[in-house]
Amino acid sequence: MDVSRYRSQMSVYRNQLATLRGKIETAQFVNDSRQRLLARKSEIEQLVSDTRVYLDTLRLIQSRCIKENDDFKTRRLNLLNVEITDALEKVLPDKKFVVNVKCDFNRKQRVVTTLTDAEGNEFSPKMSNGKLVQYLTTFSGVSCLVKALGIKSLYVDEAFGASSMNNLPIVGDYVKELVDEGIQVVLVSQNPSLYDGVARREICLAPVVGERRSVVTEVKDFD
């Protein structure tokens, strides 16, 4: 055999072998990379699955929190209904008013208060039987919130100016109940007979002629 030809063929074979080895190494590298990517893909898919479970859990917790929050607010509203209805019953027992405070929690927290009388007529407090019902509805509602929140003072400006003389003692007893519960009631009124049965400090004021201010004229303590 021609040696030069043999050497030429050997060189070709060596080049082909080197090329095949390069392809095998490349294929092995690609295969290793593919295996790593597949493993990473599996990890990511597991993370996605875990994240979906986590999100579903969060959505469930969120829905339960919203429901519990709405239920809590509803219970508070029911407390308001009872407190206001009781207050109206004490002062105006013949009317048999039943209060219903409603709140649409999904629409800007809008609160609507309605009254139902003994005949089943339903109306707003502002359209009801005189100003006294409005005052009592507001005062008893605020008083209920004050007690529920643990607040120890309440400021009231002429809350019962529309009350008749017959109702004043009953209203006074209602104020006294708050005082007996440890709530400080700062009440501005022109009718001191409202508080005859309440331990109190009366601060009497008088306007200064020609000036836009008042001065204290007398301070009286009643035990």
Side-chain angles (χ1 to χ4, degrees):
M1 182 180 232
D2 189 353
V3 175
S4 61
R5 183 180 177 185
Y6 173 78
R7 289 177 177 173
S8 176
Q9 289 178 344
M10 287 296 293
S11 177
V12 171
Y13 293 149
R14 288 192 187 97
N15 290 335
Q16 290 178 347
L17 184 60
T19 300
L20 289 173
R21 286 174 178 169
K23 290 181 178 179
I24 291 172
E25 290 176 357
T26 301
Q28 288 177 339
F29 176 79
V30 171
N31 185 64
D32 291 342
S33 298
R34 180 175 180 276
Q35 293 300 321
R36 287 194 297 271
L37 289 173
L38 288 174
R40 186 59 179 165
K41 177 175 177 288
S42 178
E43 293 176 0
I44 293 174
E45 288 175 344
Q46 184 62 47
L47 285 174
V48 171
S49 177
D50 293 344
T51 301
R52 286 173 177 166
V53 172
Y54 180 67
L55 287 175
D56 290 341
T57 303
L58 287 180
R59 291 190 184 98
L60 178 61
I61 293 173
Q62 181 186 41
S63 65
R64 290 182 177 177
C65 287
I66 292 174
K67 182 179 184 303
E68 178 59 30
N69 185 51
D70 290 348
D71 289 345
F72 173 76
K73 292 176 181 178
T74 300
R75 290 193 295 271
R76 284 297 179 95
L77 290 180
N78 290 336
L79 177 62
L80 277 177
N81 292 335
V82 172
E83 290 285 333
I84 299 173
T85 299
D86 287 349
L88 292 174
E89 175 69 20
K90 290 176 183 176
V91 182
L92 302 168
D94 58 316
K95 299 297 182 181
K96 303 295 181 183
F97 286 128
V98 175
V99 178
N100 188 12
V101 181
K102 294 181 180 178
C103 180
D104 186 348
F105 302 122
N106 297 320
R107 298 184 62 183
K108 298 182 179 180
Q109 307 277 329
R110 184 169 179 265
V111 178
V112 177
T113 302
T114 56
L115 297 176
T116 304
D117 61 17
E119 298 177 356
N121 300 311
E122 186 176 287
F123 43 81
S124 167
K126 66 181 180 180
M127 299 295 293
S128 59
N129 186 14
K131 289 287 185 180
L132 180 59
V133 174
Q134 293 182 43
Y135 294 149
L136 281 172
T137 301
T138 303
F139 182 76
S140 56
V142 172
S143 301
C144 178
L145 292 176
V146 164
K147 291 186 287 185
L149 294 173
I151 299 172
K152 295 301 182 181
S153 60
L154 178 62
Y155 179 85
V156 187
D157 186 2
E158 291 292 355
F160 306 108
S163 177
S164 67
M165 295 302 296
N166 292 334
N167 285 329
L168 277 179
I170 305 174
V171 175
D173 289 341
Y174 183 46
V175 175
K176 184 177 183 300
E177 289 179 8
L178 293 176
V179 176
D180 291 341
E181 291 179 22
I183 298 175
Q184 181 188 47
V185 181
V186 180
L187 206 155
V188 179
S189 178
Q190 298 182 23
N191 192 348
S193 61
L194 174 61
Y195 326 110
D196 283 344
V198 183
R200 67 197 183 278
R201 167 169 288 186
E202 261 184 37
I203 301 175
C204 303
L205 302 175
V208 178
V209 179
E211 299 183 29
R212 300 180 62 182
R213 64 188 183 93
S214 298
V215 296
V216 176
T217 58
E218 188 177 11
V219 177
K220 297 186 281 187
D221 289 321
F222 295 88
D223 297 326

